[in-house]
Amino acid sequence: LLAPEWSTDRALTRINESYDFLLNITPTNSVAAWHEFEASGFERAPRLRYRPVDVDPEELRRALFQIPIHHAEDPTLAQLFRAEQEGIDQKLRMLEQRDTPRFIFDSLHLYGMVEDELLQHALNVLQTVECAPAGSPEPTLDADEFARVAEARLQLYKEELPAVTSRVEVRDDVASVMVAQGNLLVPESTRCPLSRVEGLLAHEL
């Protein structure tokens, strides 16, 4: 890459890494909201609460569109820069539209609809996979136990790559195991079946 193209790439990266999109669109009261929804007979949408957005989306958007992506001499690279710019812009709009009807439309614009083939695969899974027999609950790991297993697995990566600084955090403001800014977040409410631990760690770590 030429110097201007490296500069454009770094500028896009700085804006994209200046906020945590996934954490900012994740409700902080997911467990309580589910209980509220359940108590209504699944008829009334629960009230969702979100953490404050610690950036100004409009300010970031102005900086985003000041990046000279048209300076890229390679047309393929210019197209990639344009797609990244538009994707970041859409995420910033979604931050502004949290907990409003516009959020779902912005999400569909960014990620698209579920393809018919994928939907059919999902329906086939629901129809063919058998549930565990009643009366034989599978052993589970709670949040602290799961975090210890994850820490041990993460340590193996750090031995191979000392530059890795990721950590595992047990949190009360997330509803499922997720990665945010390179760190693995584990909900306090976690009860992970033993059969899912390896797959979940492989996916998240």
Side-chain angles (χ1 to χ4, degrees), residues 118-139:
L118 179 60
L119 175 59
Q120 189 57 53
H121 283 317
L123 294 174
N124 289 340
V125 169
L126 292 175
Q127 292 170 0
T128 57
V129 174
E130 296 182 1
C131 297
S136 57
E138 182 180 355

Side-chain angles (χ1 to χ4, degrees), residues 16-124:
N16 198 40
E17 293 182 347
S18 66
Y19 62 97
D20 193 304
F21 177 70
L22 186 57
L23 203 58
N24 274 302
I25 64 171
T26 299
T28 59
N29 67 326
S30 298
V31 175
W34 170 256
H35 291 319
E36 180 184 338
F37 185 45
E38 189 177 35
S40 74
F42 307 106
E43 294 182 353
R44 187 175 61 253
R47 294 161 293 183
L48 299 176
R49 294 195 297 272
Y50 297 88
R51 54 184 52 78
V53 177
D54 54 1
V55 295
D56 183 342
E58 187 58 38
E59 182 179 333
L60 288 179
R61 188 176 294 112
R62 285 195 296 269
L64 177 66
F65 286 102
Q66 289 175 356
I67 298 174
I69 62 174
H70 59 278
H71 287 174
E73 295 184 7
D74 186 321
T76 300
L77 196 57
Q79 185 176 5
L80 290 173
F81 284 155
R82 172 65 67 185
E84 180 67 9
Q85 186 183 56
E86 291 178 353
I88 295 173
D89 176 49
Q90 200 63 49
K91 289 180 180 179
L92 292 172
R93 292 185 184 280
M94 288 174 67
L95 289 184
E96 293 177 323
Q97 301 296 337
R98 292 186 316 183
D99 208 24
T100 74
R102 283 294 315 167
F103 182 88
I104 184 64
F105 297 111
D106 289 330
S107 176
L108 290 173
H109 181 77
L110 179 62
Y111 298 111
M113 296 285 290
V114 176
E115 297 178 356
D116 291 340
E117 184 179 1
L118 179 60
L119 175 59
Q120 189 57 53
H121 283 317
L123 294 174
N124 289 340

